[in-house]
């Protein structure tokens, strides 16, 4: 039931003039217990909550879908092979994944700020559906905070936890998106009403519709929103959150968008440096490992197993391709690579048509010391075992003497210090 | 709608929990739950009280006419500071990889937040001029 507004629209009284509220409201109005009648905010607004919720939903949805695509790249399945083209697809999807994850930081915090008084709603449960909804919100809040925190910490190379980031981030993504689905369904009707019925046939745009009585729309959010104040308005708050999101994006997205690189002052990488994620020292690969004794081999299901020295490899026909290195952490850059085509080596070794390949590194340990090249990728004209970057011999940190580079692959699958191909 | 989406959503949550438990060697569920619950507690017991304190201080200290602009500047710069915090502190810096975390993040954060504050001040000035006309 709608409670009458204590402050008619247009009343410009300051905080000191706010009317004392009845003691009963301290229990039933979640804005009251901490405000004690001295301060009122217009931000506990269902419409604002709906807009911010829509923002979180879109950003989390984009993160989830692009994250699944990345997971598929790193954990290939035979029934859904990833495509080899377009060459920059993974660069775009993973850039979007990280950018939307970063962008969700201010939007998620703003959303939690707008709705947090619900935590104090009394009584907390009236129906079984309230219990289900509140449990879902608990999971959503915990999952959302975890996903954003762990993602931001990961790109800053900070791991203040004892578990695998990849596994925890992946499974918690399912938990979080499930809670989001549940929450969207629970708030669908009130959110659509709050947003002015967009999507409904014949509905007017929100600005032209009269705002519903907020207390009627949602008692937990209503009454305080009717007050007048000197702080940010709902629109001002929304615009500010949008500006904060834009600013955060502007100073980070240059790690994958070359035109914005000079602005990327808070990005964890600068693509102009040609960054690497794992140095030779970190991988335990020494210069001595790749010196005179280096041998490259092609084995497995082949008619003519190959064993080649580096000089013999360099003497094979070389091909150049401009391809991106696109890291799972969201940074990327394109560069001209040159080396031997993988498909030429497969022909030389007599591999069967449609062969798939496992690429192995000199690296002795690590989750990415091998990578998988599917049929489409193996046959792509630009999938190379590169010896040169930018016309220069690869540096040890970039994978000297030989690294895999192919279109539409995450950086962790562009195996460095390659020593063996196993045809499967 | 409510029960349909609740059923679908909780089925997906169950799938995530099942996967995390099934891969327990990697996910270490007890540690994972501790971090998830810790995140909620930090938000509710640290972030929210600090934000409330901030709004209370702004309401007390800043004159009414400039209050919303100060709030806007704080809302716009706080996420930048939160995001940059691990890099400013250099938690993940790797001594043998100069291409990771290559910037001077404290200086850059100061620069970016100053630019945002200046932008808010410029908008406030334009708004004040428009109101005077």
């Amino acid at each position: 039931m709608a409670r009458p507004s204590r402050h008619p629209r247009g009343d410009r009284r300051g905080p000191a003039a706010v009317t004392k509220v009845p003691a009963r409201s301290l229990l039933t109005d979640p804005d009251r217990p901490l405000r004690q009648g001295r301060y009122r905010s217009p931000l506990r607004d269902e419409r604002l909550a709906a807009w911010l919720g829509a923002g979180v939903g879109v950003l989390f949805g984009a993160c989830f879908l692009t994250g699944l695509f990345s997971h598929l790249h790193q954990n290939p399945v035979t029934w859904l092979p990833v495509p080899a083209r377009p060459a920059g697809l993974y660069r775009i999807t993973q850039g979007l994944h990280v950018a939307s994850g970063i962008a969700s930081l201010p939007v998620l915090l703003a959303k939690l700020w707008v709705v947090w008084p619900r935590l104090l709603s009394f009584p907390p449960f009236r129906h079984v559906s309230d219990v289900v909804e509140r449990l879902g919100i608990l999971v959503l809040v915990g999952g959302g905070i975890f996903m954003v925190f762990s993602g931001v910490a990961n790109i800053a190379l900070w791991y203040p936890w004892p578990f695998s980031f990849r596994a925890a981030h992946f499974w918690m993504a399912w938990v979080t998106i499930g809670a989001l689905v549940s929450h969207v369904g629970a708030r669908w009707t009130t959110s659509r009403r709050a947003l002015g019925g967009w999507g409904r046939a014949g509905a007017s745009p929100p600005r032209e519709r009269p705002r519903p009585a907020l207390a009627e729309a949602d008692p937990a959010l209503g009454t305080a929103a009717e007050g007048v104040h000197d702080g940010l308005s709902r629109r001002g708050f929304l615009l500010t959150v949008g500006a904060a999101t834009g600013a955060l994006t502007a100073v980070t997205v240059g790690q994958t968008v070359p035109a914005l690189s000079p602005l990327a002052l808070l990005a964890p990488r600068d693509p102009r440096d040609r960054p690497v994620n794992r140095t030779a020292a970190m991988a335990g690969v020494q210069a001595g490992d790749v010196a005179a004794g280096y041998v490259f081999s092609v084995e497995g299901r082949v008619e003519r197993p190959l064993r080649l020295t580096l000089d013999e490899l360099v003497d094979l026909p070389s091909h150049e391709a401009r391809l991106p290195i696109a890291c799972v952490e969201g940074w990327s850059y394109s560069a001209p690579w040159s080396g031997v085509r993988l498909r030429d080596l497969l022909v030389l070794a007599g591999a069967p048509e449609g062969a798939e390949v496992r690429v192995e590194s000199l690296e002795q340990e690590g989750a990415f010391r091998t990578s998988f090249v599917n049929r489409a990728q193996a046959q792509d004209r630009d999938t190379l075992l590169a010896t040169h970057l930018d016309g220069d011999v690869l540096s040890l940190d970039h994978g000297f003497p030989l690294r895999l580079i192919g279109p539409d692959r995450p950086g962790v699958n562009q195996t460095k210090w390659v020593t063996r191909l196993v045809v499967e | 709608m409510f029960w349909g989406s609740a059923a679908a959503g909780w089925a997906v949550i169950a799938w995530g929990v099942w996967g995390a438990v099934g891969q327990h060697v990697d996910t270490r569920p007890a540690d994972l739950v501790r971090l998830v619950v810790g995140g909620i507690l930090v938000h509710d017991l640290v972030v929210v009280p600090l934000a409330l304190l901030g709004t209370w201080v702004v309401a007390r200290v800043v004159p009414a006419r400039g209050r919303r602009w100060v709030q806007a500047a704080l809302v716009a710069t706080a996420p930048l500071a939160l995001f940059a915090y691990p890099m400013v502190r250099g938690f993940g810096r790797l001594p043998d990889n100069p291409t990771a975390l290559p910037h001077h993040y404290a200086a850059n954060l100061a620069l970016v937040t100053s630019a945002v504050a200046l932008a808010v001040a410029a908008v406030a000035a334009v708004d004040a001029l428009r109101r005077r006309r």
Side-chain angles (χ1 to χ4, degrees), chain A residues 43-91:
Chain A
L43 304 181
R44 315 299 179 202
D45 174 18
E46 187 173 71
R47 194 172 177 198
L48 187 53
W51 273 113
L52 290 168
V56 170
V58 168
L59 291 169
F60 276 22
C63 276
F64 183 69
L65 293 176
T66 50
L68 280 187
F69 186 63
S70 182
H71 184 80
L72 198 57
H73 265 287
Q74 295 175 63
N75 301 272
V77 289
T78 50
W79 53 271
L80 190 58
V82 288
R85 296 282 165 172
L89 182 59
Y90 186 81
R91 180 184 199 179

Side-chain angles (χ1 to χ4, degrees), chain A residues 157 269-270 273-280 282 325 327 329 331 333 337 389 395-399 403 416-417, chain B residues 94 96-101:
Chain A
L157 306 173
R269 304 300 176 105
D270 187 339
D273 296 342
R274 299 262 195 268
V276 296
N277 211 18
R278 194 163 165 81
T279 61
M282 289 163 70
I325 282 278
C327 183
E329 286 154 15
W331 55 267
Y333 61 87
W337 305 84
L389 164 62
S395 68
L396 192 58
D397 282 344
H398 274 294
R403 80 168 300 166
K416 297 194 276 193
W417 314 292
Chain B
L94 301 166
D96 62 352
N97 187 358
T99 67
L101 308 180

Side-chain angles (χ1 to χ4, degrees), chain A residues 164 171 185 232 265 267-268 276, chain B residues 5 23 26 71 97 101 105 108:
Chain A
S164 153
W171 289 113
L232 273 173
L265 297 174
V276 296
Chain B
S5 62
Q23 218 174 315
D26 292 327
Q71 288 176 340
N97 187 358
L101 308 180
Y105 290 96
N108 284 4

Side-chain angles (χ1 to χ4, degrees), chain A residues 196-213:
Chain A
W198 273 14
R200 220 180 297 154
S204 310
R207 280 183 202 175
E208 295 166 20
R209 282 173 66 89
R211 188 188 298 275

